[in-house]
C-alpha cells in the first residue's frame, strides 16, 4: 500500500509517521511518500521519518520528493496537510481582523475566510492531478478549513473525506475521566467542522447508555477548564461544545485576550524552529515530546483508522468525519458538509443517525453552513463582492461596516495568493 502526504514537510508529519509505524498491523504501508516544495525542510523530516520506521521495525520505505505528480503516482490514498502562505499568512489572519474588533483566527471568522480563499484553488488543483494520475485514490483532507475544503472537493466529484482531530481528542479525554477504553466511548458528535457539540457520550456504541449527564456532574470543572469556558455554560447547555465554540460564546472576551498576548501563529512559528532543530539531530528516532504542544493530538490515529477503513478488505468502522449531509441534519441541504459519526468502508462514509439538535444549536449550524456556501463561492469564483457577502453572512461579523472594513483588509493582505484581487 502506497500513501502520499502532500505537505510532508510540515512539523506535524512525525506525529503521522509515528502512527503509521505503531499501527502497521491496522494499515500495512509499504511506501510512504512525503511531498513538499521546501526541499531542505523535507529532507530533515524525511530523515526523521525513516529513523522512526527503523526504530519501530516497520518494513516500509519512506521517500521524499518535491515533484507532486511523481509523488502521487500509484498512491492508494493522498493525505492533504498543507498551509498556503505558511505561518506568515497565518500570522496575518490572526492579526488584521483584530483591527476591526473581530476574532483573529485561522479557521473561524474573517481569518478563516482568508485561509479558505487561498487554499481551495490549490487543493482543487492537487485533486485534479490525483484524479488524472490515479482516479481510484482516496483524498483525506486535514487541511483547514476542513469543512469548506471538503465541500469543494466533493462538489468537484473527488473521492474525498475530511478529517479533524477534535472528536478523537474529546473521546480520549472522556475515556480517561470515565476510566474506560477509548474504543468503549461513542460520541454523539453533531455539527460542522470546528462547530460541533457532543450531544451524548455513550458506552459501547450509538445505542449504548448515555454517560454524558454523569460525566458533567462528576467532571464538569475539568471539561470546562479544557474548553476555557465557565462550568455554568456546560451545565446550562447540557452538552459539551467544541473548544472552537468559545469564539462564539465568549467572542468579546477572546478579542480582548488576543490583543494582549502574542498570537498563536507567533507561538507556533517559534515552536516550529525548535522542532526543526530537534529533527535535524541524527540520533533522534522518535517524535519529541514538544510536538504534543504543536497541536494535532491523535491526528495520526484518526488518519490511520480512516485510511484503513477506506482501503481495507471490505470491513467497516465508525469514525467522525466530514462528508455530505444527505439528510442527516434535515435543516441543512443535502450537499452541505457536516461533521458527524459515520460508518466508513471502501465505498466511503455514510453518516449515522444523530440526535436532532434543538434550535439553540441548529440555528447556529445553519447560519455557519450558509456562510460556508458563500465562502466556497468566493473561493471558486473570486470577486470583492463575493468576499464581502461571505463576511456579512458570518455570525461573528454580520454588520455592513465591519464586513466592508474586513473585506478591504483581507484583500490587501492576500494579493499574492489571489490572482483576481
Amino acid at each position: 500500500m502506497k500513501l502520499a502526504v502532500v505537505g510532508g514537510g510540515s512539523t506535524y508529519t512525525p506525529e503521522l509517521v509515528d502512527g503509521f509505524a505503531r499501527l502497521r498491523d491496522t494499515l500495512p504501508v509499504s511506501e510512504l511518500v512525503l511531498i513538499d516544495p521546501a526541499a531542505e525542510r523535507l529532507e530533515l523530516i524525511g530523515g526523521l521519518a525513516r529513523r522512526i520506521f527503523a526504530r519501530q521495525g516497520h518494513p516500509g520505505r519512506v521517500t521524499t520528493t518535491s515533484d507532486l505528480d511523481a509523488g502521487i503516482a500509484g498512491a492508494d490514498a493522498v493525505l492533504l496537510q498543507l498551509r498556503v502562505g505558511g505561518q506568515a499568512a497565518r500570522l496575518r489572519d490572526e492579526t488584521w481582523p483584530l483591527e476591526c474588533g473581530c476574532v483573529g483566527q485561522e479557521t473561524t471568522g474573517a481569518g478563516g475566510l482568508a485561509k479558505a480563499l487561498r487554499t481551495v484553488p490549490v487543493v482543487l488543483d492537487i485533486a485534479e492531478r490525483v484524479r488524472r494520475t490515479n482516479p481510484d485514490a482516496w483524498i483525506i483532507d486535514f487541511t483547514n478549513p476542513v469543512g469548506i475544503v471538503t465541500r469543494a472537493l466533493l462538489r468537484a466529484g473527488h473521492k474525498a473525506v475530511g478529517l479533524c482531530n477534535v472528536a478523537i481528542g474529546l473521546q480520549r479525554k472522556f475515556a480517561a475521566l470515565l476510566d474506560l477504553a477509548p474504543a468503549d466511548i461513542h460520541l454523539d458528535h453533531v455539527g460542522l467542522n470546528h462547530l460541533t457539540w457532543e450531544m451524548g457520550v455513550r458506552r459501547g456504541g450509538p445505542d449504548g447508555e448515555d454517560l454524558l449527564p454523569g460525566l458533567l456532574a462528576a467532571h464538569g470543572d475539568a471539561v470546562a477548564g479544557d474548553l476555557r469556558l465557565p462550568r455554568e455554560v456546560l451545565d446550562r447547555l447540557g452538552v459539551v461544545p467544541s473548544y472552537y465554540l468559545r469564539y462564539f460564546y465568549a467572542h468579546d472576551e477572546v478579542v480582548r485576550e488576543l490583543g494582549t498576548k502574542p498570537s498563536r501563529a507567533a507561538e507556533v512559528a517559534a515552536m516550529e524552529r525548535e522542532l526543526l532543530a530537534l529533527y535535524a539531530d541524527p540520533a533522534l528516532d522518535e517524535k519529541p515530546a514538544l510536538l504534543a504542544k504543536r497541536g494535532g493530538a491523535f491526528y495520526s490515529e484518526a488518519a490511520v483508522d480512516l485510511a484503513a477503513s477506506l482501503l481495507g478488505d471490505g470491513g467497516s468502522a465508525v469514525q467522525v468525519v466530514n462528508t455530505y449531509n444527505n439528510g442527516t441534519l434535515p435543516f441543512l441541504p443535502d450537499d452541505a458538509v457536516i461533521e458527524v459519526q459515520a460508518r466508513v468502508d471502501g465505498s466511503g462514509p455514510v453518516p449515522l443517525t444523530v440526535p436532532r439538535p434543538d434550535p439553540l444549536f441548529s440555528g447556529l449550524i445553519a447560519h455557519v453552513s450558509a456562510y460556508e456556501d458563500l465562502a466556497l463561492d468566493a473561493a471558486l469564483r473570486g470577486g470583492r463582492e463575493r468576499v464581502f457577502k461571505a463576511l456579512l453572512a458570518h455570525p461573528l461579523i454580520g454588520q455592513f461596516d465591519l464586513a466592508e472594513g474586513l473585506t478591504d483588509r483581507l484583500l490587501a493582505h492576500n494579493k499574492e495568493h489571489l490572482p483576481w484581487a
Side-chain angles (χ1 to χ4, degrees):
M1 181 184 298
K2 176 180 177 179
L3 298 187
V5 180
V6 180
S10 167
T11 53
Y12 273 132
T13 300
E15 163 73 25
L16 188 62
V17 172
D18 176 74
F20 290 149
R22 287 186 295 102
L23 303 171
R24 56 186 175 274
D25 293 337
T26 302
L27 188 69
V29 177
S30 57
E31 181 180 4
L32 177 64
V33 186
L34 307 180
I35 306 167
D36 203 290
E40 183 177 348
R41 178 167 167 152
L42 181 62
E43 281 310 307
L44 271 184
I45 291 169
L48 174 57
R50 295 183 190 99
R51 296 193 297 272
I52 290 173
F53 266 33
R55 175 190 174 107
Q56 300 198 29
H58 194 294
R61 66 189 183 110
V62 177
T63 60
T64 60
T65 181
S66 57
D67 185 333
L68 175 67
D69 294 320
I72 62 179
D76 296 286
V78 177
L79 283 73
L80 306 181
Q81 56 172 34
L82 58 144
R83 182 183 295 279
V84 179
Q87 293 297 334
R90 177 179 181 169
L91 177 60
R92 292 192 293 270
D93 291 344
E94 294 180 353
T95 304
W96 55 262
L98 295 174
E99 298 170 3
C100 296
C102 294
V103 159
Q105 211 277 331
E106 66 162 342
T107 64
T108 299
L113 176 60
K115 193 171 197 302
L117 297 178
R118 295 192 303 268
T119 304
V120 165
V122 174
V123 165
L124 288 179
D125 176 67
I126 293 169
E128 286 298 332
R129 292 161 75 172
V130 171
R131 181 153 54 189
R132 289 197 302 267
T133 304
N134 185 6
D136 293 327
W138 278 100
I139 296 174
I140 297 173
D141 179 64
F142 194 66
T143 295
N144 281 319
V146 168
I148 296 172
V149 172
T150 303
R151 189 184 293 212
L153 288 165
L154 291 175
R155 285 193 181 178
H158 297 291
K159 293 177 62 176
V161 184
L163 182 64
C164 181
N165 68 318
V166 168
I168 193 171
L170 286 172
Q171 180 201 42
R172 299 304 198 266
K173 173 69 175 179
F174 297 160
L177 291 173
L178 295 167
D179 197 23
L180 294 171
D184 292 333
I185 295 293
H186 174 94
L187 301 178
D188 288 337
H189 182 92
V190 180
L192 312 175
N193 180 242
H194 291 184
L195 194 87
T196 51
W197 296 262
E198 309 312 321
M199 302 287 182
V201 177
R202 300 188 180 276
R203 186 196 300 269
D207 299 320
E209 174 192 4
D210 187 6
L211 306 176
L212 180 57
L215 174 71
L216 289 178
H219 304 288
D221 288 342
V223 175
D226 283 349
L227 301 175
R228 300 186 63 205
L229 287 169
R231 165 73 183 268
E232 181 188 10
V233 173
L234 274 64
D235 291 339
R236 295 179 71 177
L237 294 179
V239 301
V240 178
S242 157
Y243 54 83
Y244 284 93
L245 265 298
R246 186 168 185 262
Y247 296 114
F248 293 81
Y249 292 156
H251 176 274
D252 293 352
E253 179 184 348
V254 172
V255 169
R256 287 192 295 271
E257 286 178 5
L258 294 175
T260 61
K261 66 178 186 178
S263 69
R264 175 62 177 165
E267 293 175 354
V268 168
M271 200 179 303
E272 287 198 331
R273 289 191 291 272
E274 189 173 349
L275 284 169
L276 289 170
L278 292 172
Y279 296 167
D281 181 356
L284 183 68
D285 57 3
E286 60 185 346
K287 64 177 183 180
L290 178 62
L291 186 55
K293 298 180 180 180
R294 171 65 179 82
F298 306 112
Y299 161 40
S300 62
E301 294 176 39
V304 167
D305 288 346
L306 179 55
S309 297
L310 293 171
L311 304 174
D313 57 3
S316 65
V318 173
Q319 188 170 1
V320 172
V321 298
N322 286 258
T323 190
Y324 271 149
N325 177 45
N326 284 336
T328 307
L329 299 179
F331 53 89
L332 293 182
D334 285 348
D335 66 350
V337 165
I338 61 174
E339 186 172 288
V340 294
Q341 293 275 13
R343 187 162 296 281
V344 184
D345 60 19
S347 299
V350 177
L352 302 183
T353 300
V354 298
R356 177 165 180 159
D358 70 33
L360 179 61
F361 312 116
S362 64
L364 185 53
I365 293 170
H367 195 162
V368 174
S369 182
Y371 149 75
E372 289 187 347
D373 201 39
L374 292 168
L376 179 56
D377 187 45
L380 293 174
R381 297 200 289 162
R384 186 188 189 281
E385 191 66 10
R386 294 188 182 93
V387 173
F388 166 78
K389 288 179 178 177
L391 289 168
L392 186 64
H394 198 290
L396 294 182
I397 301 167
Q399 298 179 59
F400 189 91
D401 289 345
L402 273 181
E404 282 282 11
L406 289 167
T407 299
D408 290 339
R409 287 168 172 80
L410 186 156
L411 296 180
H413 285 286
N414 287 276
K415 285 185 180 295
E416 65 182 298
H417 300 292
L418 306 176
W420 49 267

